[in-house]
Amino acid sequence: MSYQNILVNPQVRPYVALIQLNRPKELNALNLELMGELRDALKALDADEQVRVIVMTGNERAFAAGADIKQMAGRNAIDMLKIDQFTTWDQIKKTKKPVIAAVSGFALGGGCELVMTCDMVIASETAQFGQPEIKIGVMPGAGGTQRLPRAVGKVNAMEMALTGRFISAEKAYALGLVNKVVPVELYLEEAFKLASEIAQLSPIAVRLAKESVLKSFETGLSEGLEFERKNFYMLFATEDQKEGMAAFIEKRAPDFKNR
Ligand code: HXC
């Protein structure tokens, strides 16, 4: 598939794919075309047997500075309703393989929200996160008022959403929004390292573990535990479970087959 607004490398490392948001002049502002391509690419990579983990990145200056303000500026509520851009976001959210965001520079508005749809986040020291929509007369619309408080707590989410202030990578780490902060020249490599580590594991186990963790944000504890248990039992139907446990007992490295 050829894309105009993103670059896709399905094999940047063994079993690891890279998606790069690629509107550098606009700081990777997320127009509808880019989001549609992102949805299509994630769907294709999710179906590709040679891909086990996906890394999503921008460039050094910006992961993404938000939804494309120039594209949205003239629209009215009915235009927005008809365009229904969040269907695209809902599809992105359904990606089954782990997605790691590698963030440098600005991750603002929809950019910050896109980071929060990813499963893990590696940030460069230069990364800045924010929900500045309030400064242009609107508010977060792609999960910023829901995922942000779950990640950083109520008062921090309130401060970000109500003032539009940015937070540094260091603060984002302290608040639990990112997994690790590294010097700018290392952020992508660090994301590949994390991706490669996960890519060596049983993809079925990884898939069900991701699904189970995400379930915890949607359910009460008892229902979540029930869901976890079913997925745990299901893994005993896999060859990878037999291989993983045999390899442990035989003191050798496992060879997972995704079966
Ligand atoms: C469209 C954008 C943009 C955006 C930057 N640009 N952000 N274009 N939409 N979100 C464009 C600028 O117009 C400019 O183009 C070029 O990128 C470089 O940006 P500058 O402003 O000149 O750079 P700088 O002075 O370094 O400032 C960087 C910045 C600032 C702080 C990130 O650009 C900024 O505040 N951007 C908007 C951030 C924002 O409000 N995001 C939330 C959007 S609403 P030209 O052609 O002038 O050189 C949103 C809703 C999400 O995300 C919910 C729905 C998905």
Side-chain angles (χ1 to χ4, degrees), residues 89-137:
W89 287 75
D90 290 344
Q91 286 161 338
I92 287 172
K93 189 185 82 171
K94 288 185 183 147
T95 308
K96 295 185 173 69
K97 291 171 185 171
V99 184
I100 299 171
V103 181
S104 177
F106 300 112
L108 305 175
C112 188
E113 291 168 312
L114 186 57
V115 168
M116 290 188 287
T117 68
C118 296
D119 302 306
M120 282 159 279
V121 187
I122 301 295
S124 99
E125 284 167 347
T126 64
Q128 294 188 74
F129 301 83
Q131 297 289 162
E133 293 93 335
I134 203 80
K135 293 186 170 174
I136 53 170

Side-chain angles (χ1 to χ4, degrees), residues 25-27 29 61 65-70 72 85-86 89 106 108-110 113 132-133 136 141-142 166:
K25 281 200 222 90
E26 293 84 9
L27 306 186
R61 188 165 174 221
D68 191 321
I69 299 170
K70 291 167 193 165
M72 283 186 300
Q85 62 186 313
F86 299 115
W89 287 75
F106 300 112
L108 305 175
E113 291 168 312
E133 293 93 335
I136 53 170
F166 302 167

Side-chain angles (χ1 to χ4, degrees), residues 192-201:
F192 293 155
K193 217 164 103 186
L194 179 60
S196 297
E197 189 178 328
I198 297 166
Q200 285 170 29
L201 306 173

Side-chain angles (χ1 to χ4, degrees), residues 14 24 33 40 48 93 131 144 146 159 178 184 202 226 244 259:
E33 294 77 12
D40 293 346
D48 184 340
K93 189 185 82 171
Q131 297 289 162
Q146 302 303 305
E159 184 176 333
V178 309
V184 63
S202 164
E226 202 55 48
R259 286 199 294 264

Side-chain angles (χ1 to χ4, degrees), residues 44-110:
L45 295 173
D46 222 17
D48 184 340
E49 279 277 327
Q50 293 309 307
V51 174
R52 293 184 176 178
V53 183
I54 300 159
V55 175
M56 190 191 294
T57 197
N59 55 51
E60 246 180 67
R61 188 165 174 221
F63 178 82
D68 191 321
I69 299 170
K70 291 167 193 165
Q71 192 176 53
M72 283 186 300
R75 296 213 163 110
N76 65 32
I78 302 304
D79 297 333
M80 293 299 279
L81 186 80
K82 285 185 178 163
I83 292 167
D84 194 21
Q85 62 186 313
F86 299 115
T87 304
T88 308
W89 287 75
D90 290 344
Q91 286 161 338
I92 287 172
K93 189 185 82 171
K94 288 185 183 147
T95 308
K96 295 185 173 69
K97 291 171 185 171
V99 184
I100 299 171
V103 181
S104 177
F106 300 112
L108 305 175

